[in-house]
Amino acid sequence: GVTQPALFALEYALARLWLSWGLRPAFVAGHSVGEFAAACIAGVFSLDDGLRLIAARGRLMQALPDGGAMAVVPAGVAQVAPVIAAIVERMGDVVAIAGINAPDQTVISGARDAVLAACARMKADHGVADRGLLDVSHAFHSPLMRPMLDDFRAVARGVTYARPSIGIVSGLTGRVAGDEIRDPEYWVRHVLAPVRFMDAVTCMAGHGVGAWLEIGPRATLTGLTRACLDTAPPPLTVASLAANHDDWSRMLDALARLHLGGVGLDWRRAGRLDQPLPRRLALPVYPFQRSRYWLPEPKAGGGVIAASGADTASTGSWPAPDQCRPARRRAPVSGGADRETAPAAGRSPGL
């Protein structure tokens, strides 16, 4: 029962660190447990209440009997839903869709036999092979969670809720959350309902979000976000941490990628923990002197005269102001061609 509180603590701490570095998200959203951290960051409930909620959720779920399973099916929800309905009709209400992650990724959850039957039916009817059962202790977001709802409802009713100070996109509906997120029953329904991550991503994109930062121990949602969006140019998707990578190096890499993508940060504090603020230095500002070294066109009947490069140096004159503009960067693109790029415009980030 400690996994959920540990994830919540990591995600909350990471989000606070990014906020201290000047990141100002337009929206926050979360996948399952992540929505509790997102709501806490948005001010829906306090840190103490958030910890109380997630600790109770983890403890009550862990106390449920074993025997559940979850599987990722590489198919859209439109294909998976009829198969789940057929299994429910035959075996009872013991399996459900637990997550709609991407156009071609749906998670199913429930009794082990029912999950395996659904996977076999998907392979037989649609030629879709599942990726094996997930390594989970219980069948989360499935009907097997019902026995813990009453106890969790009692905890949720003891929490103080407030209107979010940051836009939060609901994983329950896939839309911007309204007053319903302050209702204890919202968090009770959250236990059983499927996570509509794909809808949440497309909702944020529809509200102008152009950069996504994943707050968590891995880069799982970063790949799913890219799969949800088919845009040109592709969206900026950045993960704070990743498995088998040094955490601090990964954080600094994420910081650099956000900056290059045009996301605003506070560079007095960005990339620092408890070190003193750096001193700001005034650098000299002056125009660059330009000298040309191209060979002139050969004159008829004469030899080639080498250019000396002294067209400005000999006179000490400065180039015109329009010659002092910084050069545009050239960045490689696929196929070995080059393209010119200018500094990226600001983007509205999402967490």
Side-chain angles (χ1 to χ4, degrees), residues 49 52-53 152-161 184:
D49 278 341
R52 189 176 298 113
L53 268 177
F152 185 67
R153 179 179 288 109
V155 177
R157 286 176 175 173
V159 168
T160 300
Y161 300 90

Side-chain angles (χ1 to χ4, degrees), residues 145-328:
M145 297 287 107
R146 285 202 178 98
M148 52 86 65
L149 292 184
D150 288 341
D151 289 338
F152 185 67
R153 179 179 288 109
V155 177
R157 286 176 175 173
V159 168
T160 300
Y161 300 90
R163 183 172 286 107
S165 58
I166 304 172
I168 179 169
V169 178
S170 166
L172 203 62
T173 65
R175 300 189 298 271
V176 178
D179 287 341
E180 73 276 5
I181 203 167
R182 297 189 288 158
D183 186 344
E185 287 301 312
Y186 175 92
W187 299 100
V188 175
R189 294 195 306 273
H190 191 276
V191 173
L192 296 181
V195 178
R196 297 185 175 275
F197 182 75
M198 180 178 69
D199 293 337
V201 171
T202 54
C203 173
M204 286 187 283
H207 282 81
V209 172
W212 278 262
L213 174 64
E214 181 172 355
I215 305 293
R218 293 187 175 89
T220 306
L221 300 184
T222 302
L224 290 177
T225 300
R226 287 195 294 266
C228 292
L229 300 173
D230 183 16
T231 60
L236 176 64
T237 54
V238 180
S240 299
L241 301 175
N244 303 319
H245 286 77
D246 176 74
D247 291 346
W248 188 240
S249 296
R250 186 74 185 194
M251 286 288 290
L252 294 180
D253 179 72
L255 186 71
R257 292 187 61 197
L258 290 173
H259 173 63
L260 291 176
V263 175
L265 297 160
D266 182 357
W267 285 104
R268 297 172 302 168
R269 294 176 171 82
R272 307 174 72 81
L273 292 177
D274 56 356
Q275 301 97 326
L277 296 181
R279 290 188 304 118
R280 301 185 68 180
L281 300 177
L283 298 178
V285 180
Y286 52 84
F288 289 94
Q289 184 175 359
R290 175 176 292 186
S291 297
R292 300 182 182 276
Y293 292 91
W294 294 108
L295 298 177
E297 292 291 335
K299 294 183 179 180
V304 175
I305 302 175
S308 66
D311 54 337
T312 58
S314 60
T315 61
S317 60
W318 297 101
D322 64 342
Q323 295 177 320
C324 301
R325 292 174 295 185
R328 296 169 69 86

